[in-house]
Amino acid sequence: MNYTLNCNGQLLDLSTPRVMGIVNVTPDSFYAGSRVQTEHAIARRTEEILEQGGDIIDVGACSTRPGSEPVGEQEEAERLRLALSAIRRVAPDAVVSVDTYRPMLARMAVEEFGAAIINDVGDPSTFNGQRSMANAQCSMLNGQWSMFRMVSRLRVPYIYMSRRPTVSDILIDCAEAVESLRSLGQKDIVVDPGFGFGKTLEDNYLVMSQLERLKMLNLPILVALSRKSMIYRLLDSRQEEALTGTIALNTVALMKGASILRVHDVREAVETVRVVAATVSQPPQNGT
């Protein structure tokens, strides 16, 4: 299916998959090579993403990796203001996504800086110290209601990420979240299966092997695989050596219906999209 996202009044066509480039303004992001914290570095990273063909700039100011300790809301707000100001200075018309689970910061990013998308992976502290995934998920959904209400008022596309371990559970989780969002009037919704969140190494690859099942939701699918531990642990290597594995998994994800790739390495992802698009667009030969 072909999808579009209404980004500040302009339709972002997803008939060809889009690349979302990551801007991390945290000192503790899991991939050190992605961290930028000065105005100059943020501006340069923004220009790099756009020069390399990225379609969306995704800004994160609070690490949400498993086991991380989130910073306070005021500190996250200060980091976001620094980053969004720098981005808007060099790319006033860019489609900007903000990676936050805090409703008031989503509002600030949209109303003050024209952010077009909210990318919400949920509050990481919800999952720290929980005795069961079921309790954690229940607590997280209760907390996300405020974000659901906020994005529905802001009328911006919303990315919902699931921490469930299997495709069947992800489908149920996302269907419940989508029902809640639709009841509030939310229009544009993107689903993220949450690679690396709430899943074992084996779970991650099983979800990838069945990724096409998520198309049952009739929503765009975002995959965020870039240099994650599921790659370098499998290959017994390091994050710095995980680019080849990232390209391989992004290729599989595109073949299985992904609409957005969230990546650190933008040029390589853009080229992957072009190669896969050329492959799947070829008509059958000799009557086959």
Side-chain angles (χ1 to χ4, degrees):
M1 295 183 65
N2 293 334
Y3 305 100
T4 58
L5 298 179
N6 187 341
C7 298
N8 293 331
Q10 297 186 3
L11 294 182
L12 184 66
D13 183 6
L14 302 182
S15 57
T16 297
R18 300 289 184 156
V19 173
M20 173 186 282
I22 299 168
V23 176
N24 278 323
V25 290
T26 61
D28 56 347
S29 172
F30 82 92
Y31 177 45
S34 71
R35 301 171 192 162
V36 288
Q37 294 177 267
T38 67
E39 288 189 53
H40 176 76
I42 293 165
R44 184 66 197 101
R45 173 60 176 160
T46 298
E47 292 171 334
E48 179 183 64
I49 290 171
L50 297 176
E51 288 167 1
Q52 294 183 358
D55 305 290
I56 306 167
I57 298 167
D58 189 56
V59 185
C62 175
S63 180
T64 51
R65 73 184 191 280
S68 65
E69 289 295 330
V71 298
E73 186 164 340
Q74 182 175 349
E75 184 171 354
E76 184 183 356
E78 291 172 356
R79 292 176 180 178
L80 278 176
R81 284 194 168 96
L82 172 72
L84 292 169
S85 296
I87 290 167
R88 284 306 183 211
R89 189 175 67 253
V90 297
D93 300 321
V95 177
V96 175
S97 166
V98 172
D99 182 350
T100 186
Y101 60 88
R102 290 172 164 140
M104 295 309 296
L105 298 190
R107 178 180 176 182
M108 177 269 288
V110 172
E111 294 184 349
E112 295 183 23
F113 296 96
I117 301 169
I118 297 301
N119 181 13
D120 180 12
V121 303
D123 184 347
S125 65
T126 303
F127 286 79
N128 293 337
Q130 294 281 357
R131 286 181 292 180
S132 73
M133 176 60 74
N135 288 341
Q137 194 73 24
C138 180
S139 177
M140 186 175 181
L141 278 177
N142 288 337
Q144 277 188 316
W145 258 104
S146 58
M147 179 63 92
F148 288 179
R149 289 193 294 268
M150 180 61 75
V151 294
S152 68
R153 290 200 298 268
L154 294 171
R155 299 185 181 277
V156 293
Y158 177 65
I159 301 169
Y160 176 79
M161 191 196 78
S162 178
R163 297 182 183 239
R164 297 292 180 90
T166 69
V167 167
S168 295
D169 289 339
I170 292 169
L171 283 167
I172 294 170
D173 178 36
C174 289
E176 291 173 348
V178 169
E179 182 179 8
S180 297
L181 286 159
R182 295 294 193 213
S183 73
L184 294 167
Q186 178 65 17
K187 301 298 184 183
D188 290 339
I189 304 169
V190 179
V191 296
D192 175 355
F195 289 105
F197 291 87
K199 300 169 183 64
T200 65
L201 181 65
E202 292 75 17
D203 290 338
N204 282 308
Y205 283 96
L206 186 56
V207 170
M208 174 57 76
S209 73
Q210 302 174 8
L211 189 68
E212 68 277 6
R213 291 178 58 194
L214 298 187
K215 291 192 287 185
M216 295 170 57
L217 295 166
N218 292 321
L219 294 170
I221 300 167
L222 177 146
V223 295
L225 297 153
S226 185
R227 296 182 180 269
K228 286 191 171 178
S229 63
M230 64 179 285
I231 299 171
Y232 63 81
R233 284 174 56 201
L234 179 73
L235 301 176
D236 193 24
S237 61
R238 302 176 300 162
Q239 291 168 335
E240 294 80 4
E241 300 168 330
L243 178 56
T244 301
T246 298
I247 294 170
L249 284 180
N250 280 337
T251 301
V252 174
L254 291 169
M255 298 293 288
K256 288 177 174 287
S259 295
I260 302 173
L261 302 179
R262 181 179 183 272
V263 299
H264 300 96
D265 306 282
V266 173
R267 186 186 307 279
E268 291 81 356
V270 169
E271 291 177 353
T272 301
V273 168
R274 291 181 62 186
V275 170
V276 172
T279 302
V280 301
S281 66
Q282 294 304 310
Q285 300 295 318
N286 301 322
T288 59

